Amino acid sequence: MAGEGAAASAAAAEVAADWRDGWRGGELLGAWEAVRAGAVAPALAALSRVCLAMSAMLLVEAVFLAAASHARRRPERRYRADPLGGGGAHDDGEDEEAGLLGYPMVLVQIPMFNEREVYKLSIGAACGLSWPSDRIIVQVLDDSTDPTVKDLVELECKFWANEGKNVKYEVRNTREGYKAGALKEGMLHAYVQRCDFLAVFDADFQPEPDFLMRTIPYLARNPQISLVQARWEFVNPNECLMTRIQKMTLDYHFKVEQEAGSSTFAFFGFNGTAGVWRISAIKEAGGWDDRTTVEDMDLAVRAGLKGWKFVYVGDVKVKSELPSNLKAYRRQQHRWTCGAANLFRKMGAEILLTKEVSFWRKLYLLYSFFFVRKVVAHVVPFMLYCVVIPLSVLVPEVTIPVWGMVYIPTAITLLYAIRNPSSIHFIPFWILFENVMSFHRTKAMFIGLLELGSVNEWVVTEKLGSSTNTKPISQILERPRCRFWDRWTMSEILFAAFLFFCATYNLVHGGDFECIYIYLQAITFLIVGTGFCGISNS
C-alpha cells in the first residue's frame, strides 16, 4: 500500500509538472503573441509602408530615365562637334576669336598607385593618342609606395619620352588626399597653365587613338560645355559570373542614367575617368577636393551648380577592367556608395540655397540624382526584399501586397532588362547578387550620411591586367585558392542563416510560395559569404 501511494504521488507530481510546463509554455507563447501584435507588427507594417513607398519612387524614376534615354537626341545634333584642324573647312571666325583655331593644348592625367599589372597599358594608350605631339602633355601621377613599381613606371615614362612624347613623371612625398590630392597637386605645375583641357584616365583605362579627336570638339566649339564623358568598355566581362553581372549594372548606368542626365538637364556624375574637362571650369568650381572618396562626383556637382553643361558621348568607348575579386569589388562599392552619401550630406544645403541654377535643376540634383539613386536605390533592395518580406512570414499580422512584392520589382527589372537584351538570361542571378550587395551598400550609405568611422576609407581597386574578353563564362561557383576562413564574411553567413530560418518557417506554417524566393536569396548570401564568388587574387 505504501508503494502504491508513492507511485500515485509520483504520477500526480509528474502531471502537475507537465501542467506547469505547459502553462508556462502557453504563457510565453501568449506573451510573444501579445508583444508581436502590439509592438512588432505595427513597427514592421510601418517599415513595409515606407519601403513600398520608396519602391514606387524607384519605379517612377526608372520610367523617367528609360523614357529620357530612349527619346534622346544624339549629342552631335544638340551641339557643334565639327572636327578640329587649323584652317580647315569647318573652322570659322568664331574659333579664331576664341583662340581655339587648330588643336588646343591638352593635359592627360594618369593617377596610379602600385599599378604593377596595368601601368604600361594606360601610359602606352595615352602616348598613342592621335593629337599633335606639341599640343599634348601626358602627366603620370605616381603615388606608389612600392619602390620597384615606381622604378618601372618611371622607366616606362622615360621610354615614351625618348620616343618623342611629352611625358611628365610626377611623384609626391605623401598620399594625402589620395587620388584627389594627386590630381590637385598635378594641376599646380607651371606647364599646366598652357593647357586648355584635361583628360583623366585611371591606370587600367586604354583610350582609342581617336579619343581626343572625338571628344575635344564638343568643348572647343561649345563654350557652355565643361565635361565630355565617354562610355566604359570592358576587357574581361566574361571572366566570371560576377564580372558579367557588373557589366549589366554598369551598362544600365551608362546607357540609361548617364544618357538621360545628359539629354535632359545636361548634368550627370563624372565617372572619374575616361572624361575630358575644360580646365577653366575646374578652376571656377574650386578644383579637386579630397573631402569625400568621390572627388569626381564632387567636382561635377560643384561645376553643375555654376551652370556648366555636361555631354555624354556613348559612341566613344574606353577599355577598362572589371574587378573580378569579390573582396576588391566590395571595397570599390563601399567607396562609391559611402562617398556619394557623404557628398549628399555635405552639399545638400548648398544645392538647395544656390541661385545660379534653375529650380528644376536643383530638384533633379537633390531628388533624382542624390536621394533616389544614392539612398533609396540602396535601401529598398535590402530592407524590403531581404528584411521586411522574410520577417513578414514570421508576423502574420503584416501582409505585403502583391503589387509591392511582384508587380513593381518585375516592372523595374524589365526596364533594366530591355537595355541589356543579350544578358536577359542572367537577370535572376543579377537580382539575387545585387540584393546581397545592397546589404553592404546600405551599410556604406549610412556610414556616409552619418560620417562614421570608415567614411573616408580609401582602398585602390585591385587590377589584374586582364586583356581579353574571349574567355568563356566560368561556373556559378568559383573556387578561390585561399584558406576557407580567410574568405569568410560572417555578416553574410549570419544573414543567410536568418533567411534560411524564415524560409523554413514559411514552408512549414505558411500557405504561399515566398519560401522559394527566400531560400534562393539565402543560398546567394551563403555563396557570397563563404567566398565562392569571383576569382582568387592573381
Side-chain angles (χ1 to χ4, degrees):
M1 292 294 293
E4 291 178 0
S9 298
E14 185 176 351
V15 170
D18 290 343
W19 182 82
R20 284 195 302 271
D21 291 342
W23 180 82
R24 288 169 182 166
E27 184 182 53
L28 291 175
L29 181 60
W32 157 243
E33 289 178 347
V35 171
R36 186 183 70 192
V40 177
L44 185 60
L47 181 60
S48 69
R49 286 192 291 270
V50 172
C51 289
L52 290 172
M54 291 193 295
S55 185
M57 293 166 61
L58 280 182
L59 177 59
V60 173
E61 178 74 4
V63 171
F64 162 72
L65 293 175
S69 62
H70 181 72
R72 73 181 179 99
R73 290 172 55 208
R74 297 178 66 85
E76 60 270 23
R77 294 181 181 176
R78 290 180 282 135
Y79 304 102
R80 290 186 59 197
D82 305 329
L84 299 178
H90 297 281
D91 290 306
D92 54 30
E94 294 179 11
D95 297 318
E96 191 169 3
E97 290 176 7
L100 295 172
L101 184 62
Y103 293 94
M105 196 72 182
V106 178
L107 174 69
V108 178
Q109 287 188 321
I110 308 175
M112 56 178 59
F113 174 74
N114 293 338
E115 308 286 3
R116 179 189 295 268
E117 304 295 337
V118 295
Y119 72 93
K120 281 191 174 185
L121 298 176
S122 55
I123 297 175
C127 291
L129 290 169
S130 299
W131 202 256
S133 57
D134 62 334
R135 308 299 294 165
I136 184 173
I137 301 174
V138 177
Q139 187 186 65
V140 179
L141 305 169
D142 189 11
D143 275 0
S144 299
T145 54
D146 186 331
T148 302
V149 175
K150 294 186 74 167
D151 291 342
L152 290 171
V153 175
E154 185 176 12
L155 188 63
E156 184 72 9
C157 293
K158 288 181 179 178
F159 167 79
W160 285 106
N162 293 333
E163 294 292 313
K165 304 298 181 181
N166 192 354
V167 181
K168 305 291 185 181
Y169 177 69
E170 307 290 356
V171 297
R172 302 190 295 163
N173 296 324
T174 174
R175 284 196 70 211
E176 183 180 355
Y178 303 107
K179 179 181 176 181
L183 293 171
K184 185 175 183 177
E185 187 164 320
M187 298 290 289
L188 300 178
H189 295 278
Y191 56 82
V192 175
Q193 305 308 312
R194 298 186 287 127
C195 299
D196 302 296
F197 305 116
L198 164 67
V200 183
F201 300 104
D202 282 349
D204 60 314
F205 277 71
Q206 307 163 55
E208 296 295 327
D210 64 350
F211 176 85
L212 294 178
M213 292 291 186
R214 300 177 66 185
T215 55
I216 293 292
Y218 288 98
L219 293 163
R221 301 191 180 281
N222 302 276
Q224 74 274 31
I225 294 176
S226 66
L227 168 66
V228 179
Q229 174 71 60
R231 181 178 165 185
W232 297 1
E233 191 176 43
F234 310 108
V235 298
N236 63 330
N238 297 333
E239 192 164 0
C240 60
L241 184 61
M242 191 179 78
T243 56
R244 195 71 182 87
I245 291 172
Q246 288 179 66
K247 181 182 183 298
M248 293 168 62
T249 301
L250 288 170
D251 278 351
Y252 179 83
H253 168 69
F254 283 105
K255 291 180 181 179
V256 178
E257 293 179 342
Q258 300 289 79
E259 188 64 71
S262 176
S263 60
T264 53
F265 293 93
F267 174 85
F268 48 82
F270 175 44
N271 295 116
T273 178
V276 187
W277 277 92
R278 186 185 301 274
I279 290 181
S280 60
I282 295 178
K283 292 179 180 178
E284 183 182 349
W288 299 103
D289 198 318
D290 61 0
R291 58 180 172 172
T292 70
T293 57
V294 287
E295 74 294 325
D296 43 12
M297 187 184 297
D298 188 350
L299 177 60
V301 173
R302 285 184 280 116
L305 293 181
K306 294 293 183 180
W308 288 100
K309 293 184 177 181
F310 305 162
V311 176
Y312 168 70
V313 285
D315 293 336
V316 180
K317 302 177 182 179
V318 181
K319 295 178 182 177
S320 62
E321 180 182 336
L322 291 165
S324 54
N325 175 263
L326 180 60
K327 184 177 292 186
Y329 182 59
R330 279 201 196 101
R331 287 171 173 167
Q332 180 201 69
Q333 294 302 298
H334 174 90
R335 188 174 77 245
W336 289 359
T337 307
C338 180
N342 191 231
L343 182 63
F344 185 29
R345 171 194 173 105
K346 293 179 183 298
M347 294 207 66
E350 183 179 345
I351 295 171
L352 185 65
L353 298 175
T354 186
K355 297 180 180 180
E356 297 186 62
V357 295
S358 68
F359 166 80
W360 295 109
R361 199 178 214 203
K362 290 194 288 185
L363 179 64
Y364 175 75
L365 274 167
L366 286 171
Y367 175 77
S368 177
F369 182 76
F370 272 117
F371 181 64
V372 176
R373 290 187 237 167
K374 308 301 187 249
V375 176
V376 174
H378 302 316
V379 171
V380 170
F382 174 64
M383 292 304 299
L384 180 58
Y385 306 121
C386 299
V387 176
V388 173
I389 292 178
L391 279 177
S392 68
V393 306
L394 305 177
V395 184
E397 293 87 351
V398 177
T399 302
I400 311 296
V402 175
W403 60 264
M405 283 197 301
V406 180
Y407 299 155
I408 285 183
T410 300
I412 294 174
T413 301
L414 289 176
L415 289 170
Y416 271 77
I418 59 177
R419 300 309 294 267
N420 287 280
S422 63
S423 303
I424 196 167
H425 53 296
F426 287 108
I427 286 293
F429 301 109
W430 174 79
I431 293 171
L432 295 170
F433 181 76
E434 283 295 293
N435 285 351
V436 175
M437 290 309 302
S438 71
F439 170 60
H440 297 282
R441 293 185 185 121
T442 300
K443 180 172 65 174
M445 184 268 297
F446 279 113
I447 289 174
L449 283 178
L450 303 176
E451 285 198 334
L452 301 178
S454 59
V455 64
N456 289 318
E457 180 182 83
W458 182 285
V459 179
V460 175
T461 304
E462 178 189 32
K463 300 152 186 102
L464 304 180
S466 302
S467 59
T468 177
N469 58 2
T470 58
K471 184 178 178 180
I473 296 174
S474 305
Q475 298 296 316
I476 294 175
L477 297 183
E478 303 293 337
R479 185 170 300 181
R481 295 189 301 273
C482 60
R483 294 175 299 181
F484 182 66
W485 51 86
D486 288 337
R487 62 177 189 262
W488 273 13
T489 304
M490 187 54 64
S491 58
E492 290 170 346
I493 295 174
L494 292 176
F495 209 86
F498 160 72
L499 292 175
F500 272 118
F501 172 77
C502 293
T504 304
Y505 184 91
N506 182 252
L507 180 65
V508 174
H509 299 284
D512 50 38
F513 299 98
E514 292 176 16
C515 62
I516 298 175
Y517 159 73
I518 301 174
Y519 270 130
L520 290 173
Q521 192 64 71
I523 292 170
T524 308
F525 265 95
L526 187 61
I527 290 172
V528 177
T530 51
F532 285 94
C533 184
I535 65 171
S536 60
N537 291 338
S538 173

